[in-house]
Amino acid sequence: MTEQLTPSDPVRIGGHRLLARLGAGGMGVVYLGRAETGELAAVKVIRPEYAAETDFRARFRREAAAARRVRSPWVVPVTGADPEAEAPWLATAFVPGPALAEAVARCGPLPERGTRILGKILARALAAVHAAGLVHRDVKPGNVLLAVDGPRLIDFGIARSPEETALTSPDAVVGTPGFLAPEQAQGREVGPAADVFALGCVLAYAATGRPPFGTGAVDALLYRTVHDDPDLAEVPDGVRDVVLRCLAKDPAARPTAAELDEALVEDAPEGTAEWLPDEVVRLIADRSAATLALPDIDATAATAPEPGRAAGRRRFLALGAGGAVLLAAGGGAALWAGLRDDGSPGPAARRWILGVQADLSGPQQAAGRAQERGVRLAVEQFNARERRPFEVEAVVADDRGDPAEAERAARRLAADRDVLAVVGSTGDKTTGAALGPYDERRVPQLTVSSAQGVYGTASRRSLLQTVPTYGTTSLPAALMLKAAGVRRLGMVIDRAAGEFAWEEGHLAYRTVGLVEIEVHPRVVPRSAASPVAVLADLLDWEPDAVYYAGGPRRGADLARGLADRGFTGVRILGYPAAGPEFTARAGAAADGWEVYAPYIDPGAKPVAKFAAAFRERYGRAPGRWAAEAYDVTRMVLDRLTEAAGGGGRPARAELFELLAKGTYRGLVREYAFQDGYLQGVEMFHYRAADGRFGYAGPADTGE
């Protein structure tokens, strides 16, 4: 929870406008601050009297250096620091959620599955800490924050390399009694195994609401930690063995963080909070809303605005994946319309550029090329108008389907101040990699074919998904299964295909259950040679239908396996697997498989004129996703035209707002958004026959 600033608190620290207090202790104060970019940060400021102590300043300097060395989405990153300032400070990304300690105290222990997922994600966080050559040394419920897109490990105040000399006296205990290892309790040298022990204590606490060595006086806690067995009687069976291994007295007997990640076999739904109880999710949401509902800070700023910039400029703050977007810091619409991304004047001497980021030479190059050509066709048609208000240039970046190259391409496009928006990228991983650079520069990013619901811990302040997410494919599938009289569905979720398969399969499982069809899910581990391994168990259950969420090659193996066993029931294939690779590998076993996809067939009547123009321009029929890219580009051009009529060239953030709040009827579907997600679930039905997927018309989505 936040507290108001006191009269003695500073107004700014290190470029951060301070908004509230997050907490205070004997050594310093932690503030909620806003950087000049508009991002919120937790700013830890050391009191001047302690900063004068050489040892204390050295410890703080080490904390900043240690935190910067860790690279993990589950460790709160450092965004700035100045250990040499008169009042040393350290800023980290702000997580507007409660600590695990508060969540358990207010809402009760986590369920078994939630505890496993918490452990798995925190094990990954510790693996990153240890890979950086550090030991955290204070893993406890108070240093685990729960956010809308997953937990975060915080506070490297006492982290150090194992070989470094402690800054405290030899017999001092560093850490939190009740959540530290025996060797730590005895003041001996500690390594990564001490963090694993502490994580075991955290998981026991999360599962029961009590530390495994009880509570009470510090001396008693330390004695029990060193000599007694932990009390794990109330820890669920599915967690107890793993926790017991973590709490081994001998450090060598404990698993490493990476081994703990492997031992906790629960699939961690990264980027969501669905694994937490409803009460905790509500607490996170309430805390986020309360924290981000901040006053207009520009109106109270003590310093004058920079030349060329108005004090009322808006800032956009996102709560996380799928969260509501809040507008903090006001300003009239007319003022906002007059602002520019870089404070420069209007459009007279500047180009109007639409960026295109796509996989043009990598694993998804067919879709990437189709999208690029769809964008170019729309731009060329716009520029051919006699009374066009401006001329648009398409600038293309090939990210080759590689996340590292995608991030570099995004930074290049975003750095060009004339790029007003970007269509792309083609795949999920490249879209996620590009998200940060576009967010930083407020470049509207419109993905045509990336249907992932969340992108790790990345924010969505500038992203518009113009395609239904993977889970929505299950709605027409569920309606079809119900109409076909299916009562028992075998669900195969193949983890080897990546995040989309889990997302698609998990949501399909829930959706199909809503139409009163019994579902028998089978998750195929990444390490399994083939999904055929689960068929014996699946068919023993005698399903009427089978749904496969995974990739084309292994999906084809499953199709052949079902055919070999004489299965003739309804078969549904997740659309990412539907293509030539599946039909070629499956052969005759591919016939009859049903697919529900968000892309329209190029021969469908609604896109006939587009297909003819495409064929005339490029000498071939359009491929998948070309019509959708054409639609999205025309939507952007429509909004740019609207902005030009009302005052000239728009700022990027203004264009994003026009896109996000408007509705546009394209050739393929209607485009309207909520929190960056496409509203509506228009889908298309395909059926495999004679070695190809034939178009069967628009899917029934119940609308």
Side-chain angles (χ1 to χ4, degrees), residues 59 101 136-144 154-155 157-158 172-182 184-186 190 194-195 197-199 201-202 205 211-219 221-222 225:
R59 170 178 163 177
H136 188 283
R137 294 167 56 87
D138 198 19
V139 179
K140 60 183 180 181
N143 279 342
V144 176
I154 65 169
D155 200 348
I158 56 175
V173 174
V174 179
T176 302
F179 296 92
L180 42 70
Q184 203 170 355
Q186 293 174 305
V190 302
D195 287 343
F197 187 98
L199 180 53
C201 294
V202 168
Y205 173 86
F213 296 99
T215 58
V218 171
D219 289 346
L221 278 175
L222 297 179
T225 298

Side-chain angles (χ1 to χ4, degrees), residues 364 401-404 406 425-434 450 452 455 497-499:
Q364 292 182 280
D402 175 68
S425 177
T426 311
D428 297 330
K429 291 183 179 179
T430 51
T431 295
S450 176
Q452 194 163 297
Y455 297 91
E499 187 62 32

Side-chain angles (χ1 to χ4, degrees), residues 208-519:
T208 66
R210 298 183 295 103
F213 296 99
T215 58
V218 171
D219 289 346
L221 278 175
L222 297 179
Y223 181 89
R224 290 197 293 267
T225 298
V226 174
H227 301 287
D228 291 355
D229 292 331
D231 179 7
L232 304 180
E234 296 179 18
V235 175
D237 293 340
V239 182
R240 187 182 300 118
D241 288 344
V242 170
V243 171
L244 195 59
R245 290 177 57 200
C246 293
L247 299 183
K249 303 296 185 187
D250 181 2
R254 300 170 202 152
T256 64
E259 289 170 346
L260 183 57
D261 182 10
E262 291 295 324
L264 291 162
V265 297
E266 186 72 42
D267 283 296
E270 300 177 3
T272 76
E274 67 88 20
W275 52 278
L276 289 169
D278 290 345
E279 296 88 343
V280 178
V281 175
R282 280 194 293 271
L283 177 61
I284 294 172
D286 291 344
R287 184 61 48 78
S288 299
T291 303
L292 294 180
L294 299 171
D296 185 337
I297 65 165
D298 289 329
T300 61
T303 56
E306 298 174 17
R309 291 185 183 266
R313 180 164 184 165
R314 302 187 203 187
R315 299 287 187 184
F316 288 75
L317 304 173
L319 296 182
V325 176
L326 305 177
L327 297 178
L335 174 62
W336 176 243
L339 292 170
R340 297 293 177 263
D341 297 282
D342 54 2
S344 66
R350 296 180 60 180
R351 299 178 299 165
W352 296 55
I353 295 179
L354 179 62
V356 184
Q357 181 174 338
D359 178 0
L360 303 180
S361 56
Q364 292 182 280
Q365 59 182 280
R369 287 287 179 191
Q371 291 174 28
E372 178 212 6
R373 290 173 175 174
V375 173
R376 287 191 183 279
L377 180 59
V379 168
E380 290 170 4
Q381 290 178 344
F382 179 86
N383 289 338
R385 297 178 184 177
E386 289 187 6
R387 295 186 178 181
R388 61 185 180 277
F390 49 84
E391 189 162 303
V392 179
E393 178 183 349
V395 173
V396 179
D398 176 14
D399 60 29
R400 304 197 297 268
D402 175 68
E405 182 57 35
E407 182 178 1
R408 288 190 288 269
R411 293 201 180 279
R412 289 194 298 271
L413 286 172
D416 185 342
R417 66 195 184 106
D418 292 334
V419 174
L420 293 169
V422 173
V423 177
S425 177
T426 311
D428 297 330
K429 291 183 179 179
T430 51
T431 295
L435 204 56
Y438 291 135
D439 266 0
E440 290 170 10
R441 300 294 185 101
R442 294 295 193 270
V443 181
Q445 178 187 4
L446 299 96
T447 176
V448 173
S449 54
S450 176
Q452 194 163 297
V454 293
Y455 297 91
T457 59
S459 67
R460 300 173 58 96
R461 295 169 303 177
S462 302
L463 178 68
L464 293 176
Q465 283 186 275
T466 68
V467 59
T469 56
Y470 291 120
T472 58
T473 60
S474 58
L475 177 58
L479 295 174
M480 184 271 283
L481 291 169
K482 183 70 172 178
V486 170
R487 293 178 299 173
R488 296 160 67 85
L489 173 69
M491 173 75 66
V492 180
I493 303 172
D494 195 345
R495 295 293 281 138
E499 187 62 32
F500 84 83
W502 173 256
E503 186 174 318
E504 177 191 357
H506 177 65
L507 291 175
Y509 168 76
R510 297 171 65 178
T511 303
V512 173
L514 294 176
V515 296
E516 299 178 349
I517 294 175
E518 190 176 359
V519 185

